[in-house]
Amino acid sequence: TIRVPKSGDRVYKTECAFSYDSPDSEGGVYVCMNTFLGFGREHIERHYRKTGQCVYLHLKRHVIEKVPGASGGALPKRRNAKLFLDLETNGDLNSDDFEYEDEAKLVIFPDHYEISLPNIEELPALVTIACDALLSAKSPYRKQEPDSWEEELQASKHAKTLVQLDNGVRIPPSGWKCSKCDLRENLWLNLTDGSVLCGKWFFDGSGGNGHAMEHYKETGYPLAVKLGTITPDGADVYSFDEEEPVLDPHIAKHLAHFGIDMLQMQVAENGLRDNDIKPRVSEWEVIQEAGVKLKPMYGPGYTGMKNLGNSCYLSAVMQAIFSIPEFQRAYVGNLPRIFDYSPLDPTQDFNTQMAKLGHGLLSGQYSKPPMKSELIEQVMKEEHKPQHNGISPRMFKAFISKGHPEFSSNRQQDAQEFFLHLINLVERNPVGSENPSDVFRFLVEERTQCCQSRKVRYTERVDYIMQLPVAMEAATNKDELIAYELKRREAEAARRPPPELVRAKIPFSACLQAFSEPNNVEDFWSSALQAKSAGVKTSRFASFPEYLVVQIKKFTFGLDWIPKKLDVSIDMPDFLDINHLRARGLQPGEEELPDIAPPIIIPDDPKDEVRLLYFRRSFLVALDIDESSVMQLAEMGFPLEACRKAVYYTGNLGAEVAFNWIIAHMEEPDFAEPLAIPAFGEVVSSGAAAFGAVGLDNQPPEEMVAIIISMGFQRNLAIQALKATNNNLERALEWIFSHPELEEESEPALDMMDLENNTNANILAGTGSEGPRIKDGSGRYELFGFISHMGTSTMSGHYVCHLKKEGRWVIYNDLRVCASERPPKDLGYIYIYHRIPS
């Protein structure tokens, strides 16, 4: 069946869905005239067998040498300028000696019957129209093109006349949370009154509770800026009134009203404007090994990736990922099966695109050295014939970042955040019996101690990254740093260029020591005291992963809101032994904190009638108050309503627990007031903090779990639903009803679910019981690779990756893959260690 592409159809005419073949490749690309998917010569038969579609448009670009005597210096001419408007030209091509010739043919399977185009006389009108529409179709990645998102934004009509209240609000550079529900992600600063509130929630469980929108409906204050997106170039601004992202030409002034002087970010440390001084490039030179003649590497595992515009973070992470045997086996080893069982649209399938990328990097098909004769000819002519080495991960990036507000943009991103995003997708898209992300997963034992009662609580959570603080106070070259700072200030006062940089030299042992030291717990509620108290937390490894990912926490904010990067040198070891950080569990003489949850804080008046009705229908049954416990307390002489509240707020855990609540709340003025059960949504909107368990072990609050269990659901399913919805009770119930198949999962598999408690709340454990979930072993490691960042912020700069392959270090710098001569192991941002076999 032949279709004419419509405006919403994606036409893949420049890249195969299963490989990196393009019209430039030897076999060209075949585009299905029904699905508009492109296929290379090796994969077209699979699509024909699977779908029965038999008509394809074959596109091929020829690069030919010009005939002597042709017009020198002219631009490459095209036989048909409409064919490949979106096909990138090779920048190395010498247009004086070569030209393009584009060719299009209709190919009919299974006989491979070819009809050259254009052929208006012989083809039906519908076929001719379909061919013309396909050839002129825009790139499916048009929204991914650099800066296109900025061009679509319009200045808000409120920006120029925005009223800002003089209420004395000042926004700190970090530690934000929603003023209504204590969420700490997806936060928006209202530019009129300075309120910090959460955004709307999304169906994947991310986002917030919509308090920013509720605030607009109550106040009419129209503009808000997303915290965490503010850079010297602007910020993400949303207009509630106009219902779309907008530009705020006066954003610097509006932010300065709340103490955020972001214009200072454009001023260098010595007070001179960036264009008045030469940029400091030493970090860039050292990490990229500039000034050293590096030998290019070719063949399997040495394939570069094109930078699509601030996509180096993706390239660096994926090069490291596909250097790990478990990922190679899972995706490239299973490539035939993954491709054969891929959905009808393989461009929208995670495992297919992972297998495609892995094969592109590891096959060597896109990393071939030039022939000796070509090298001699190039030297003689001092020119470069077109080399099509490396791959362009455009289709992979478009899919993996779909729906993500940051990775779908063309802004620079944090490689650590992308790594967790990738692991999330790997977890959610199982491939075969082996889960390759198992190699990164480890258990963390957290020991929390009440400083007053000295009692302890041990919890476990899952993590994928060991985050090491930078112990600046342990620098070994403090005298040099003091001298440098004096010279820098003198240069600043005299308005001279700064002196040569002196980096703080930090011992790795000091960073490891800082990691293992106890940390204070904010808002710690001691179940032993039934009140808030001082608490400390210590983290240890309950298991050691096969591959240990270590992040150096170099990025921070100054008090002036200027993002800062700690430009330090850390003597990262080639061999690492962290066996001394192995968890030991409850020790003799230690007494555990009582398993009692904090009191529930209930908002005052229910507002949402719809949610109230939903609450009464689905929720009241679950909150039946244990009247026997109420009567036991009332017989002690306490007011009846106070007893009802005590039992209610402690989740029907018994008269003894409720009695402790009464003792802690007797002095409150509304102690004996009647119990007012809030609307369902109001319970949820108070967030995890209302239920009091967040901050200890990241487990869903026990009261929420108990409520869902009392409705007849299994405990593990309740925990999984709460994690998937960021501890939002209402959405957790909706999540359960939308995943009925999970109710039938086996108990062992659900027990494994209980282990999945990661800093990335969206990462869920697999539901299968096959295969080990935790690959424990020795804590002795050898350095396998590291990712380095150049620049002052994760929102700018450049990433490169160094990997140890076949006994030597290799640098991956976008398309350039070379043998490393001086790997800057002391300047890395993310390090990957491989366990040494016992």
Side-chain angles (χ1 to χ4, degrees):
T1 304
I2 295 177
R3 291 198 304 122
V4 178
K6 299 177 183 178
S7 59
D9 289 329
R10 294 189 294 265
V11 178
Y12 296 94
K13 61 182 179 181
T14 60
E15 182 182 351
C16 172
F18 293 106
S19 72
Y20 290 93
D21 287 348
S22 71
D24 283 312
S25 304
E26 183 179 351
V29 164
Y30 296 81
V31 183
C32 175
M33 296 296 291
N34 180 268
T35 63
F36 313 121
L37 295 170
F39 303 95
R41 180 183 291 172
E42 296 179 13
H43 304 284
I44 183 64
E45 292 284 352
R46 176 189 292 107
H47 185 259
Y48 165 69
R49 292 194 306 269
K50 181 179 290 189
T51 64
Q53 297 297 333
C54 58
V55 183
Y56 297 85
L57 186 64
H58 182 239
L59 305 177
K60 179 75 178 82
R61 165 163 288 179
H62 303 279
V63 181
I64 61 175
E65 193 167 357
K66 285 186 178 180
V67 178
S71 55
L75 290 174
K77 57 184 179 182
R78 296 171 179 239
R79 181 174 297 170
N80 188 332
K82 291 203 307 179
L83 289 185
F84 304 116
L85 289 176
D86 290 320
L87 188 64
E88 299 171 359
T89 58
N90 193 308
D92 292 335
L93 187 67
N94 189 327
S95 61
D96 291 339
D97 298 299
F98 297 91
E99 64 182 353
Y100 293 122
E101 286 191 355
D102 295 343
E103 182 182 25
K105 294 184 290 187
L106 273 181
V107 180
I108 302 175
F109 281 69
D111 300 325
H112 291 262
Y113 180 74
E114 297 181 352
I115 303 173
S116 296
L117 296 176
N119 194 335
I120 301 176
E121 294 80 9
E122 298 182 16
L123 293 175
L126 176 64
V127 177
T128 301
I129 293 171
C131 291
D132 288 343
L134 189 149
L135 293 175
S136 60
K138 299 294 184 183
S139 165
Y141 314 114
R142 180 65 61 182
K143 291 184 179 180
Q144 298 283 335
E145 295 299 325
D147 300 327
S148 64
W149 65 277
E150 294 171 337
E151 295 170 359
E152 297 171 1
L153 298 183
Q154 301 295 321
S156 171
K157 64 183 181 182
H158 300 288
K160 189 174 181 180
T161 58
L162 185 71
V163 176
Q164 293 189 281
L165 303 183
D166 190 13
N167 53 10
V169 172
R170 290 294 180 268
I171 305 299
S174 60
W176 321 298
K177 62 181 180 179
C178 176
S179 60
K180 289 191 176 180
C181 70
D182 288 348
L183 277 182
R184 296 179 181 270
E185 58 184 21
N186 191 23
L187 298 177
W188 295 78
L189 168 66
N190 190 286
L191 291 175
T192 295
D193 64 357
S195 298
V196 176
L197 299 158
C198 61
K200 64 180 181 180
W201 69 275
F202 303 102
F203 290 103
D204 65 352
S206 63
N209 294 313
H211 289 134
M213 174 62 78
E214 289 181 9
H215 185 67
Y216 161 70
K217 292 178 179 178
E218 295 171 0
T219 63
Y221 300 154
L223 297 184
V225 60
K226 187 173 183 181
L227 293 175
T229 67
I230 304 169
T231 71
D233 301 318
D236 290 357
V237 180
Y238 187 83
S239 172
F240 297 107
D241 178 49
E242 296 158 280
E243 298 184 346
E244 62 180 356
V246 295
L247 291 177
D248 180 0
H250 309 282
I251 185 64
K253 183 184 77 171
H254 292 155
L255 292 173
H257 181 81
F258 301 109
I260 309 172
D261 194 359
M262 298 311 294
L263 287 183
Q264 292 297 319
M265 293 178 62
Q266 296 175 328
V267 180
E269 292 178 358
N270 64 349
L272 301 178
R273 292 283 170 181
D274 288 342
N275 54 8
D276 293 333
I277 62 171
K278 296 176 68 174
R280 192 183 74 206
V281 296
S282 58
E283 181 185 47
W284 294 72
E285 290 176 343
V286 173
I287 290 178
Q288 297 186 97
E289 302 186 54
V292 180
K293 190 173 182 180
L294 302 178
K295 179 185 175 182
M297 304 286 285
Y298 299 99
Y302 299 106
T303 304
M305 297 172 69
K306 181 180 178 181
N307 195 322
L308 306 175
N310 287 329
S311 66
C312 51
Y313 67 92
L314 179 147
S315 299
V317 170
M318 298 314 299
Q319 291 284 11
I321 286 291
F322 276 112
S323 295
I324 294 174
E326 285 79 359
F327 279 86
Q328 295 173 356
R329 288 197 301 269
Y331 295 104
V332 184
N334 286 323
L335 184 139
R337 184 181 65 84
I338 292 174
F339 282 2
D340 286 341
Y341 291 94
S342 64
L344 291 179
D345 186 357
T347 68
Q348 302 302 304
D349 180 63
F350 177 76
N351 290 332
T352 300
Q353 292 308 307
M354 282 288 283
K356 170 184 171 178
L357 181 66
H359 180 265
L361 294 176
L362 300 175
S363 65
Q365 189 173 332
Y366 307 98
S367 178
K368 297 177 180 178
M371 302 294 290
K372 286 186 178 180
S373 59
E374 292 178 355
L375 285 174
I376 295 172
E377 183 182 349
Q378 290 179 24
V379 171
M380 293 294 289
K381 291 189 175 184
E382 295 184 351
E383 66 179 25
H384 296 283
K385 281 194 175 182
Q387 293 290 330
H388 300 299
N389 275 339
I391 61 176
S392 176
R394 196 175 295 274
M395 186 179 292
F396 178 79
K397 182 179 185 296
F399 173 76
I400 201 170
S401 63
K402 183 175 61 176
H404 193 287
E406 289 302 321
F407 299 134
S408 60
S409 76
N410 285 281
R411 297 184 291 271
Q412 186 61 276
Q413 302 299 330
D414 189 341
Q416 177 257 356
E417 292 180 0
F418 178 74
F419 170 78
L420 287 179
H421 175 68
L422 177 74
I423 296 301
N424 185 5
L425 292 174
V426 171
E427 294 279 357
R428 287 160 48 185
N429 295 273
V431 51
S433 59
E434 182 181 19
N435 182 354
S437 64
D438 286 350
V439 300
F440 298 123
R441 189 185 298 108
F442 58 92
L443 283 174
V444 177
E445 178 192 87
E446 292 187 337
R447 176 186 182 272
T448 307
Q449 183 174 33
C450 171
C451 295
Q452 190 169 340
S453 68
R454 312 303 296 174
K455 295 182 180 181
V456 298
R457 173 179 292 121
Y458 284 87
T459 57
E460 285 188 348
R461 63 175 173 83
V462 167
D463 214 332
Y464 295 84
I465 292 181
M466 177 187 189
Q467 294 183 312
L468 282 187
V470 178
M472 291 296 295
E473 68 282 356
T476 59
N477 58 339
K478 291 181 180 178
D479 292 341
E480 295 178 49
L481 292 171
I482 293 171
Y484 164 74
E485 182 62 21
L486 290 175
K487 291 180 181 179
R488 189 191 67 79
R489 291 182 180 179
E490 291 174 1
E492 180 179 343
R495 300 189 64 80
R496 296 194 309 267
E500 184 177 350
L501 174 71
V502 175
R503 285 192 180 89
K505 296 180 180 179
I506 311 295
F508 173 77
S509 57
C511 299
L512 202 60
Q513 177 65 28
F515 169 84
S516 61
E517 289 178 350
N519 295 314
N520 292 327
V521 180
E522 293 184 11
D523 297 326
F524 175 69
W525 189 85
S526 171
S527 58
L529 305 176
Q530 294 284 296
K532 285 189 176 182
S533 172
V536 293
K537 182 194 295 183
T538 307
S539 298
R540 291 291 186 270
F541 286 85
S543 70
F544 291 119
E546 184 72 19
Y547 285 84
L548 177 66
V549 180
V550 179
Q551 178 198 14
I552 305 299
K553 299 173 69 173
K554 289 186 173 184
F555 298 99
T556 183
F557 278 94
L559 294 177
D560 52 4
W561 258 84
I562 299 177
K564 293 182 178 180
K565 176 182 175 181
L566 302 176
D567 193 358
V568 297
S569 171
I570 301 178
D571 60 338
M572 298 296 293
D574 288 312
F575 297 93
L576 174 64
D577 189 342
I578 55 172
N579 278 304
H580 64 284
L581 294 178
R582 170 77 74 173
R584 296 178 298 172
L586 188 68
Q587 295 298 295
E590 289 184 333
E591 185 178 353
E592 288 191 89
L593 284 163
D595 190 14
I596 299 172
I600 304 172
I601 302 171
I602 298 298
D604 294 330
D605 17 69
K607 296 183 278 187
D608 193 333
E609 294 184 8
V610 176
R611 288 183 176 182
L612 183 59
L613 288 173
Y614 184 89
F615 167 78
R616 286 171 176 166
R617 184 177 69 251
S618 307
F619 196 54
L620 274 176
V621 176
L623 289 180
D624 282 343
I625 297 174
D626 183 2
E627 293 297 335
S628 62
S629 297
V630 173
M631 295 313 298
Q632 280 183 259
L633 296 169
E635 289 171 1
M636 299 180 189
F638 299 114
L640 180 62
E641 288 300 332
C643 299
R644 290 177 57 80
K645 284 201 293 187
V647 174
Y648 173 85
Y649 287 156
T650 54
N652 288 336
L653 294 179
E656 183 177 351
V657 177
F659 174 79
N660 292 331
W661 185 94
I662 287 178
I663 298 302
H665 293 79
M666 286 183 65
E667 303 301 321
E668 295 178 1
D670 61 345
F671 174 68
E673 293 293 325
L675 171 64
I677 297 178
F680 183 90
E682 296 296 310
V683 174
V684 175
S685 67
S686 63
F691 287 83
V694 170
L696 296 180
D697 55 7
N698 290 331
Q699 281 290 102
E702 192 59 37
E703 288 80 6
M704 289 187 178
V705 175
I707 288 169
I708 296 177
I709 292 175
S710 65
M711 294 182 178
F713 299 107
Q714 294 180 352
R715 173 181 176 82
N716 297 285
L717 185 61
I719 292 174
Q720 184 184 357
L722 288 167
K723 289 179 181 177
T725 55
N726 205 16
N727 292 338
N728 186 309
L729 194 52
E730 180 178 8
R731 281 158 44 202
L733 289 172
E734 293 173 355
W735 189 92
I736 290 175
F737 291 123
S738 65
H739 295 76
E741 71 280 359
L742 294 181
E743 294 184 52
E744 302 173 3
E745 293 290 349
S746 63
E747 196 65 31
L750 289 170
D751 287 340
M752 284 301 178
M753 296 280 187
D754 203 29
L755 297 176
E756 289 299 312
N757 180 27
N758 184 263
T759 51
N760 180 355
N762 290 328
I763 297 183
L764 301 177
T767 56
S769 59
E770 65 278 355
R773 299 297 294 168
I774 301 297
K775 294 190 173 184
D776 197 7
S778 168
R780 295 178 63 244
Y781 294 92
E782 181 179 1
L783 186 61
F784 167 79
F786 59 96
I787 296 171
S788 306
H789 175 268
M790 294 150 281
T792 58
S793 166
T794 54
M795 296 177 287
S796 61
H798 183 59
Y799 287 95
V800 300
C801 177
H802 284 77
L803 296 170
K804 198 170 187 179
K805 290 193 173 182
E806 299 175 310
R808 71 174 303 168
W809 285 98
V810 180
I811 178 173
Y812 293 81
N813 189 354
D814 292 335
L815 279 173
R816 194 170 177 228
V817 181
C818 300
S820 173
E821 296 295 333
R822 296 198 294 258
K825 289 181 282 188
D826 60 325
L827 298 181
Y829 172 47
I830 297 173
Y831 294 84
I832 305 174
Y833 284 87
H834 183 210
R835 179 162 37 224
I836 300 174
S838 301

